[in-house]
Amino acid sequence: MSRVDVLGVGFDRLDLGASARALADRLERGERTIAITANPEFVMHSRRDADLRAIAAAADLVLADGTGILLASRILGDPLPGRAPGRKLVDLLVADAEATGAPLFLLGAAPGVAERAAERIRARHPRVRIAGTYAGDASPAGDDETVARVAAAAPRVLLVAYGMPAQERWIARNVARLPSVRVAIGVGGVLDQLAGVARVPPAPVHAVGLEWLWRLLRDPRRWRRQRVLPAFVFYVLLERLAR
Ligand code: UDP
């Protein structure tokens, strides 16, 4: 089925449940899967960056991380069925990995965070196999060292927490050198949330789709990244008029 185009990035027509099933099915079949959960910042970045656009176009799954993409798809007249927030998707992916015995590797975040996230995951999913954790270095200079570590640990699922778009670039550069990895996905701040370094937005905030505002109020430095949001709204409205 064709993807839903939001300003040049194509999104798969999958809500959270369907996204998790797609990942689980592909994992079971052993199909190499690069998944991206993209938000409006990602879309705006892609507009200026042909490499990132190509990475999204080549990804096996491109999922709507939040409300912004969902609303944009509705305004553009080709509505996505729902959002697949990274944090919830990771919960479901980890549950599937526990059930099937697929080993996980947690890459990225500040030193120590991935280890704490792994402890939290083990507390909730006692049978999960964590093949390894490593903060590493998101830049190409760190690739060889990180690839050596991940390859030695031979995970089937690789969660990469270098923030958007560094994590998507990291996966695109390196996944071919990691033959054991079946599912690779950029998870942004999810390891921070799992580790308890960053608070998870309360359920009502999630229900009304205002995670971005909640995160902005808790960490005002995010305005730098979020200042592209008004432009996102502007371009979506412009595109709607053009259609
Ligand atoms: N990060 C990292 N190395 C970098 C840049 C970021 O490990 O060079 C980590 C950072 O510690 C955090 C995550 O990447 O755990 C990014 O979180 P953020 O909330 O910014 O992600 P996003 O909004 O892109 O989902």
Side-chain angles (χ1 to χ4, degrees), residues 37 39 41 65 107-111 113 135-139 160-168 186-193 198 215 219 222 225:
T37 72
N39 57 13
E41 287 102 309
D65 196 0
L107 176 63
V113 170
D137 167 0
S139 75
V160 184
Y162 285 140
M164 175 283 296
Q167 59 201 15
E168 285 76 24
V187 298
V190 172
L191 297 191
D192 291 346
Q193 293 179 343
R215 292 178 83 183
D219 183 6
R222 294 186 77 84
R225 306 189 37 190

Side-chain angles (χ1 to χ4, degrees), residues 85-107:
R87 176 169 45 89
K88 301 207 161 191
L89 193 61
V90 167
D91 275 348
L92 295 170
L93 181 58
V94 168
D96 180 62
E98 182 185 32
T100 61
L104 300 171
F105 196 103
L106 312 186
L107 176 63

Side-chain angles (χ1 to χ4, degrees), residues 3-11 13 43 47 68-80 232-243:
R3 286 179 166 169
V4 175
D5 180 87
V6 177
L7 305 182
V9 175
F11 286 82
R13 297 171 194 274
V43 169
R47 285 171 68 84
I69 297 297
L70 208 62
L71 285 177
S73 73
R74 285 190 196 147
I75 291 170
L76 295 169
D78 190 7
L80 285 161
F232 176 75
V233 173
F234 173 78
Y235 285 117
V236 167
L237 293 174
L238 202 64
E239 172 71 17
R240 164 165 182 147
L241 290 177
R243 285 185 189 180

Side-chain angles (χ1 to χ4, degrees), residues 16-208:
L16 175 65
S19 299
R21 278 194 299 281
L23 286 174
D25 288 348
R26 296 181 66 104
L27 194 55
E28 194 183 329
R29 292 198 296 269
E31 255 173 87
R32 164 61 62 79
T33 303
I34 294 178
I36 296 178
T37 72
N39 57 13
E41 287 102 309
F42 184 96
V43 169
M44 291 305 287
H45 213 105
S46 299
R47 285 171 68 84
R48 302 186 305 269
D49 184 331
D51 285 346
L52 194 59
R53 264 200 315 281
I55 288 173
D60 302 285
L61 293 171
V62 179
L63 308 168
D65 196 0
T67 321
I69 297 297
L70 208 62
L71 285 177
S73 73
R74 285 190 196 147
I75 291 170
L76 295 169
D78 190 7
L80 285 161
R83 49 193 163 131
R87 176 169 45 89
K88 301 207 161 191
L89 193 61
V90 167
D91 275 348
L92 295 170
L93 181 58
V94 168
D96 180 62
E98 182 185 32
T100 61
L104 300 171
F105 196 103
L106 312 186
L107 176 63
V113 170
E115 289 72 19
R116 281 169 64 188
E119 283 166 24
R120 297 288 175 93
I121 289 176
R122 276 199 204 94
R124 265 194 265 165
H125 302 275
R127 285 174 300 116
V128 80
R129 293 167 61 193
I130 309 249
T133 57
Y134 185 47
D137 167 0
S139 75
D143 286 359
D144 287 348
E145 163 86 26
T146 303
V147 164
R149 286 184 187 236
V150 178
R156 283 172 68 76
V157 177
L158 177 62
L159 309 182
V160 184
Y162 285 140
M164 175 283 296
Q167 59 201 15
E168 285 76 24
R169 291 192 210 288
W170 193 94
I171 291 170
R173 281 200 311 275
N174 294 298
V175 75
R177 292 199 282 162
L178 298 169
S180 72
V181 171
R182 300 293 97 202
V183 169
I185 181 167
V187 298
V190 172
L191 297 191
D192 291 346
Q193 293 179 343
L194 281 170
V197 175
R199 265 194 61 196
V200 173
V205 171
H206 177 76
V208 295

